[in-house]
Amino acid sequence: MENTLTYAKEQDQNDSLRSFREKFHIPTHTNGDPLIYLCGNSLGLQPKSTASYLQQELDDWAALGVEGHTDAKHPWMPYHEFLTQAMADVVGAKPQEVVIMNTLTTNLHLMMVSFYRPTKARYKIVIESDAFPSDKYAVESQLRFHGIDPSDGLILWKPRQGEDLCRFEDLEAIMNEQGDAIALLMIGSTNYYTGQSFPLQKITELGHKHGCIVGFDLAHGVGNIVPNLHESGADFAVWCTYKYLNSGPGSLGGCFVHERHADNKELQRFAGWWGHNKHTRFNMRHEFDALPGAEGWQLSNPPILSMAAIRASLDLFAEAGIMNLREKSKRLTGYLEFLLNDLQDERISIITPTNPEERGCQLSIQVAETDKQMHAKLTGAGVISDWREPDVIRVAPAPLYNSFEDVYHFVTRLKNILRT
Ligand SMILES: *Cc1c(COP(=O)(O)O)cnc(C)c1O
């Protein structure tokens, strides 16, 4: 690799996915230049095609009213089914294991209603220590809901003193010590803060060996890493679609339930009519009869406009191919890492793992002797990144729309700011 703009441009020239950048709206700086947008881990950019997907539904609603449920170009009644295959491909699941519904934290609660069934002896939940706040609140509130004090029921899988990353052997130690008392392992597949990606299959095997249920939050993993959910054996997983999946602010979330639970009607669940047998749903007078698979957890008829935006984005993923994206992502983030190391600035350290298999596209850069001012300068210089107190910049080059040139310009601008 070379630390030159020429080299970065060459990489873009040779990138078979380069045309996808043209399919996105790239926000511009006040001077009219495209921003260096490295914040797809927070909110993905808008595909240019999204508008026409939404317009189709608006037109069908205008022209058809309620008849759109059956007569729209993409009928609204089964609309979520149009997303299933592409979504399943992105997370590595069977179609029956996947559904788009609700939002992330809601789905996490619904999954815990079914899969966190504490008993007197087995009632604890393990999460990674720096889990995203919403996940922690959800888990703590589930514990309290069952009359369990989180100070007793919540176990944190922590990095060791003086380290930033969680070690698998420390999770093994927790399981060896307390496995019999643990009901649920609930881990973020890719940590939002450090960018560390955990080995889903290994964690699942470990949890199952100790008789625990294992679930993952893929908010920072979906559309980023290749989670192979089915093969991992995980019991359930949840994710949002507005980060790497580019479906727009607050858009719907996704949910995975492993096929081994598909036909288990004994599982407790909070039910709604959209999870009921499709053949009798509109007869309205039947006892609840759960659909097999993940669909059986749906509650409401979904917001079609949000679904349409997700469909627009998933069509791009299907076109690009998740494996191709992951391959490019490794090179793109590898280049970012190379350039940052080449700065040879002692104030900078990367807390994300160096092994590409243990991370997605994001690098979390710790900058010593600095504060939020530095990040503000970076924003002023046309770089959209993310600041986490006390001293971490998170940058996430997304392989669908970020270029090697983006990465090069980011590091150059960072260098200039650090010099002044
Ligand atoms: C982004 C994110 C959330 C946000 O939850 P919503 O319910 O979509 O608001 C929750 N958990 C994780 C790990 C996240 O990264």
Side-chain angles (χ1 to χ4, degrees):
M1 285 186 270
E2 288 170 30
N3 188 352
T4 63
L5 184 57
T6 312
Y7 177 84
K9 286 186 169 178
E10 261 169 35
Q11 296 308 300
D12 286 330
Q13 278 302 315
N14 298 332
D15 169 18
S16 59
L17 298 174
R18 70 177 179 281
S19 62
F20 283 89
R21 181 179 171 86
E22 305 299 317
K23 298 177 193 282
F24 284 84
H25 293 288
I26 311 282
T28 50
H29 203 22
T30 38
N31 64 9
D33 287 345
L35 288 169
I36 308 299
Y37 192 85
L38 298 172
C39 226
N41 54 349
S42 189
L43 185 74
L45 291 181
Q46 185 187 135
K48 289 177 181 165
S49 57
T50 302
S52 65
Y53 281 65
L54 294 186
Q55 193 60 50
Q56 178 72 50
E57 303 316 322
L58 292 173
D59 291 349
D60 286 347
W61 177 25
L64 301 166
V66 71
E67 305 290 354
H69 282 299
T70 49
D71 297 350
K73 184 166 178 224
H74 295 93
W76 304 325
M77 206 138 52
Y79 199 95
H80 71 274
E81 295 171 19
F82 304 131
L83 290 75
T84 303
Q85 184 65 53
M87 191 68 257
D89 290 343
V90 167
V91 295
K94 299 190 177 182
Q96 196 195 30
E97 295 174 317
V98 165
V99 68
I100 300 283
M101 62 178 189
N102 311 312
T103 47
L104 169 53
T105 309
T106 308
N107 288 337
L108 180 52
H109 276 298
L110 290 179
M111 288 294 100
M112 285 196 282
V113 162
S114 294
F115 293 106
Y116 174 56
R117 308 285 303 154
T119 63
K120 266 214 132 30
R122 194 186 272 281
Y123 60 94
K124 299 191 182 193
I125 304 179
V126 182
I127 61 174
E128 79 274 22
S129 73
D130 208 358
F132 196 87
S134 195
D135 300 41
K136 185 146 185 276
Y137 303 151
V139 165
E140 286 171 343
S141 64
Q142 286 279 337
L143 285 161
R144 287 197 192 93
F145 179 72
H146 288 283
I148 298 161
D149 186 340
S151 69
D152 174 33
L154 186 65
I155 302 175
L156 298 181
W157 173 26
K158 288 191 200 127
R160 294 182 186 177
Q161 194 79 39
E163 296 186 354
D164 295 303
L165 305 174
C166 294
R167 294 174 181 238
F168 183 73
E169 57 264 36
D170 293 343
L171 183 61
E172 283 180 313
I174 292 173
M175 299 306 292
N176 286 335
E177 279 161 30
Q178 307 187 61
D180 291 347
I182 294 168
L184 172 65
L185 277 177
M186 178 59 231
I187 307 292
S189 77
T190 306
N191 184 270
Y192 81 100
Y193 183 71
T194 63
Q196 180 178 20
S197 270
F198 297 112
L200 305 193
Q201 189 167 355
K202 260 172 89 177
I203 290 176
T204 304
E205 283 167 5
L206 176 65
H208 285 174
K209 192 175 88 183
H210 288 271
C212 312
I213 291 278
V214 181
F216 293 104
D217 184 332
L218 258 65
H220 282 261
V222 68
N224 179 21
I225 59 162
V226 180
N228 284 329
L229 277 180
H230 176 77
E231 259 179 54
S232 81
D235 293 285
F236 70 87
V238 292
W239 57 90
C240 54
T241 64
Y242 48 80
K243 291 172 180 164
Y244 295 108
L245 293 186
N246 313 314
S247 69
S251 202
L252 294 169
C255 191
F256 163 91
V257 178
H258 196 277
E259 70 176 353
R260 81 176 74 88
H261 303 297
D263 296 310
N264 183 356
K265 297 195 181 187
E266 302 302 306
L267 272 175
Q268 294 293 336
R269 71 181 85 197
F270 285 174
W273 74 323
W274 230 249
H276 178 85
N277 185 337
K278 287 169 199 174
H279 304 295
T280 58
R281 184 188 287 151
F282 289 93
N283 295 351
M284 305 290 200
R285 290 189 180 79
H286 287 262
E287 284 294 308
F288 179 71
D289 176 19
L291 284 167
E295 286 187 325
W297 272 266
Q298 295 173 104
L299 298 179
S300 301
N301 79 100
I304 297 300
L305 295 178
S306 171
M307 288 271 182
I310 298 172
R311 203 161 62 78
S313 172
L314 286 177
D315 283 355
L316 291 179
F317 273 85
E319 201 184 326
I322 188 70
M323 300 310 276
N324 299 332
L325 286 164
R326 178 67 173 137
E327 222 26 68
K328 173 177 172 184
S329 174
K330 285 182 185 167
R331 291 195 299 117
L332 196 58
T333 294
Y335 189 52
L336 171 61
E337 184 179 43
F338 164 78
L339 293 178
L340 287 168
N341 289 335
D342 203 47
L343 285 179
Q344 300 180 4
D345 188 316
E346 280 169 8
R347 288 167 294 177
I348 286 196
S349 53
I350 300 170
I351 61 180
T352 309
T354 48
N355 178 356
E357 302 305 327
E358 294 174 31
R359 68 185 185 201
C361 71
Q362 173 184 325
L363 293 184
S364 303
I365 308 163
Q366 197 157 32
V367 189
E369 302 157 33
T370 188
D371 55 26
K372 208 166 186 301
Q373 282 256 309
M374 194 273 291
H375 182 252
K377 283 185 199 158
L378 207 48
T379 309
V383 175
I384 304 298
S385 62
D386 175 281
W387 173 261
R388 292 283 142 165
E389 293 294 344
D391 55 5
V392 168
I393 307 172
R394 300 185 306 162
V395 284
L400 257 183
Y401 50 76
N402 282 123
S403 61
F404 288 81
E405 199 177 330
D406 279 342
V407 164
Y408 180 84
H409 288 312
F410 159 65
V411 178
T412 306
R413 289 175 201 184
L414 177 66
K415 180 170 75 182
N416 291 338
I417 288 164
L418 287 171
R419 280 211 182 132
T420 53

